Amino acid sequence: MGTQSYIIDQITNRSIDVIRVANNTAASSSSGLFSLYREIQAKLKKTPSSQWFRLSNDIEALLLNEMRGVVKEVKADLTEFAPIEARFAENLLVTATTIDTIGRTPASILATFTKAPINHFVDKKKVTTPTVDELLGKLGKTNARLIRNLVRDASLEGRTAQQVSRDIRPLVVNASRREIQSVVLTSFNHYSNQAKQAVYSENTDILEGVEIVATLDSKTTETCMFYDGKVFPVNSGPRPPFHYNCRSQAVPVVKEKFRIPIQGRTRASENGPVDASLTYDGFLRRQSKERQNEILGPNRAKAFRDGLPVGKFTNNQGVKLTLNQLRSRYPDKF
């Protein structure tokens, strides 16, 4: 196994560890949601419905306060996580190359990641540049507003405390937990890639660039399909995460003269190890028609089988094109 194959394998395996750590943080930080629901339920029972309009503001404030505690816990875990990831990247370059010593990342840089923008984040149909602080700052606001309005409406509709409690539980517990998990996983992926990027920036003399490596499975988005296999300069170009729950990774491309001789390069996929040069497009062409339909949808899958690469299903910023936009661009395929 040569340098690039080894690096891809190690970073892929590391990404699984990052997801596990992120999930642990998400589970820990969201553990108070059910107790919060019980508290809200009790307040609804003991408060006359004529006073629920005022109570709705208190309930909104309770959820937002719970999320402030979540943010505090997540930031503490991220602060501990950043230097660990930097040391991983430094050790990886030493292990995978002929270099004995490499440039170390200053601790002062690792402390700035919450304010370092995600430089190419696709949210719905827009490319944005949010920081982790901004992502965490949004936690709970939509759900809190929905719950507030639900309680206010219930006070006018003559509903019972039991009915209202039943309706708000999915928002207080389930939706809030999913939101926390999504934001936490995205934040940890950003920190992981930022920490590694800081190491890459300290070692431009041994690197040719940075390659985007997507996960080869059915959960991969069109955005990550588009960027898979693309190589950018060490200190410029888009970097993961590209969207909420993104699992793509930025992998350093070592200059040939510093590589260990290559033998049988591979990368991981949902079907087991495959050749390291295989892109998502190539991976998808190996799948059955039914699997392609499942991943892309029947219309895009048919165009794909007719020769349209997966990279054409997005614009040049990785934003997914609608079927109408695709029909306009490629009338012979749709």
Side-chain angles (χ1 to χ4, degrees):
M1 179 180 291
T3 291
Q4 286 307 118
S5 178
Y6 179 80
I7 289 175
I8 290 174
D9 281 352
Q10 292 301 305
I11 289 181
T12 298
N13 290 335
R14 185 68 173 188
S15 70
I16 296 172
D17 293 335
V18 171
I19 292 172
R20 176 179 53 79
V21 171
N23 285 340
N24 287 341
T25 292
S28 173
S29 61
S30 62
S31 61
L33 290 174
F34 189 75
S35 295
L36 173 66
Y37 167 70
R38 287 299 191 194
E39 181 180 356
I40 294 172
Q41 187 181 40
K43 286 181 179 294
L44 285 165
K45 285 183 178 179
K46 72 178 184 180
T47 305
S49 60
S50 60
Q51 298 178 26
W52 281 359
F53 193 91
R54 184 176 61 186
L55 178 64
S56 68
N57 292 325
D58 295 338
I59 291 174
E60 181 182 27
L62 281 173
L63 182 55
L64 293 177
N65 185 62
E66 180 71 20
M67 288 302 178
R68 281 191 284 271
V70 169
V71 170
K72 184 177 180 180
E73 183 174 344
V74 171
K75 283 189 174 182
D77 286 359
L78 286 170
T79 299
E80 293 183 8
F81 176 71
I84 295 172
E85 283 300 279
R87 299 296 88 81
F88 163 78
E90 291 167 355
N91 292 335
L92 179 61
L93 287 183
V94 170
T95 303
T97 69
T98 58
I99 301 297
D100 295 325
T101 59
I102 62 168
R104 298 288 175 176
T105 307
S108 58
I109 293 178
L110 301 178
T112 66
F113 290 166
T114 60
K115 300 186 185 303
I118 302 173
N119 73 349
H120 197 93
F121 194 72
V122 179
D123 190 2
K124 298 184 174 70
K125 295 297 181 182
K126 297 188 299 182
V127 175
T128 61
T129 56
T131 65
V132 167
D133 277 348
E134 290 170 345
L135 293 182
L136 292 172
K138 295 178 181 178
L139 275 176
K141 290 186 176 179
T142 297
N143 285 334
R145 186 171 61 251
L146 290 172
I147 292 166
R148 180 199 65 193
N149 292 340
L150 194 153
V151 173
R152 288 182 177 181
D153 291 344
S155 69
L156 301 173
E157 295 167 355
R159 310 192 74 199
T160 66
Q162 184 178 9
Q163 289 173 323
V164 179
S165 296
R166 182 194 62 211
D167 290 346
I168 68 173
R169 177 172 175 168
L171 289 170
V172 176
V173 181
N174 301 334
S176 295
R177 184 177 288 130
R178 287 193 299 270
E179 183 186 18
I180 290 170
Q181 185 171 25
S182 179
V183 171
V184 169
L185 178 58
T186 303
S187 299
F188 268 83
N189 193 358
H190 178 56
Y191 261 61
S192 176
N193 278 292
Q194 281 287 298
K196 293 195 285 287
Q197 178 60 45
V199 174
Y200 305 158
S201 296
E202 293 292 325
N203 293 278
T204 56
D205 56 324
I206 67 170
L207 301 179
E208 290 181 357
V210 174
E211 179 181 2
I212 306 302
V213 177
T215 303
L216 299 181
D217 65 20
S218 60
K219 298 178 182 178
T220 303
T221 65
E222 282 87 350
T223 298
C224 293
M225 293 178 194
F226 172 77
Y227 282 115
D228 183 52
K230 288 182 168 56
V231 178
F232 298 95
V234 174
N235 287 315
S236 64
R239 296 289 189 271
F242 297 124
H243 53 83
Y244 285 109
N245 299 314
C246 181
R247 298 168 298 154
S248 291
Q249 296 293 315
V251 175
V253 180
V254 177
K255 291 180 179 177
E256 190 69 42
K257 64 180 179 179
F258 299 118
R259 295 184 186 182
I260 296 170
I262 294 176
Q263 296 176 355
R265 295 173 55 196
T266 63
R267 65 181 291 192
S269 79
E270 65 178 9
N271 300 322
V274 295
D275 189 274
S277 63
L278 185 69
T279 63
Y280 198 95
D281 189 287
F283 163 78
L284 193 56
R285 293 198 183 279
R286 296 183 177 186
Q287 307 307 305
S288 67
K289 176 181 177 181
E290 291 72 23
R291 189 67 163 154
Q292 291 170 353
N293 287 347
E294 177 187 345
I295 293 171
L296 295 176
N299 292 310
R300 288 180 176 83
K302 181 179 183 302
F304 175 71
R305 289 190 292 274
D306 288 342
L308 194 66
V310 292
K312 299 297 185 181
F313 297 137
T314 66
N315 64 18
N316 59 8
Q317 292 185 304
V319 176
K320 183 178 179 179
L321 297 172
T322 67
L323 285 175
N324 284 337
Q325 289 172 323
L326 288 169
R327 290 188 186 101
S328 176
R329 290 191 181 199
Y330 312 108
D332 60 321
K333 302 297 184 184
F334 289 88

